[in-house]
Structures are given as C-alpha cells and as structure tokens.
Amino acid sequence: QVQLVESGGGLVQAGGSLRLSCAASGMIVRSNSMGWYRQAPGKQRELVAFLTSGGSTNYADSVKGRFTISRDNAKNTVYLQMNSLKPEDTAVYYCLAPSLLPTGYDYWGQGTQVTVSS
C-alpha cells in the first residue's frame, strides 16, 4: 500500500525558508517521478515542482530560483526547499506520485499547510 506523508509546513515570515518532506512507503521514490503541488483557498491545485526518475526537474515560473525539489534515496523521501517565501506562497502543499505501476493510479499525500505572513 502506497503512502505519502508530508511534513515541515508552518508559519513563516516573508523572506523566510521552509523545507517540506514527503516520506514514501510502498513505493520507491528513485524509480518514479514525484511532484509537489499546492492549493490556495479558492484556487485550483497547481504544480509547484516536479522531479523525474532520471533527475530532471521542472518548476512553476512563480517559484523558479526560490524553490528546489530533491530526493534522498536512502530515506525514500522527497523534499521541497522553499526560500525567499512570499505571502502568495501560502497554500496547502501536497506530494504526488503520479501513475504508479502496475495500477497507473496517482497517489497523493494528505497535505501540509504553509502560511507566509507579510
């Protein structure tokens, strides 16, 4: 059974930093693409950062140069390092393991709240 557990969210002042973690079980992080998404109140869920199994990364324009996605294979964990945080980064952040074999299902974590005060 695949489980993704996010942690590391919280309240931070603008300009500050947070590191989110997504601990995976029932799957191997290094063998799959992984993503971080976020959803602000009243808005649709949006892609923040994506990491392929080959190590390629992709970022939303709004976070380029500030956020970094990475993984620790030994810990089977994906991270999102967030620097220079802005109030508009306030959202619930979700970890995604897309289209996992053999079912092809997408697996989401429960989310972690990030609040950036001005």
Side-chain angles (χ1 to χ4, degrees):
Q1 182 179 0
V2 176
Q3 283 191 319
L4 303 174
V5 179
E6 299 102 332
S7 61
L11 173 63
V12 64
Q13 288 188 332
S17 298
L18 285 173
R19 188 177 78 157
L20 305 184
S21 300
C22 172
S25 58
M27 62 162 292
I28 300 173
V29 162
R30 70 175 184 270
S31 299
N32 293 276
S33 297
M34 299 291 294
W36 282 99
Y37 285 70
R38 67 186 180 188
Q39 188 166 18
K43 295 188 176 181
Q44 289 189 332
R45 194 171 295 189
E46 63 175 1
L47 174 68
V48 176
F50 201 79
L51 174 64
T52 70
S53 57
S56 298
T57 57
N58 188 35
Y59 297 93
D61 288 342
S62 59
V63 307
K64 280 181 182 176
R66 300 189 297 123
F67 289 13
T68 303
I69 187 171
S70 64
R71 65 181 176 228
D72 185 326
N73 295 336
K75 294 183 178 180
N76 210 35
T77 298
V78 177
Y79 300 99
L80 185 69
Q81 178 67 45
M82 305 186 295
N83 299 328
S84 302
L85 283 160
K86 304 175 181 180
E88 51 263 44
D89 294 319
T90 295
V92 178
Y93 284 70
Y94 298 91
C95 181
L96 167 69
S99 304
L100 288 186
L101 298 177
T103 61
Y105 292 161
D106 293 343
Y107 289 88
W108 293 89
Q110 83 287 354
T112 185
Q113 175 71 47
V114 172
T115 303
V116 184
S117 63
S118 57

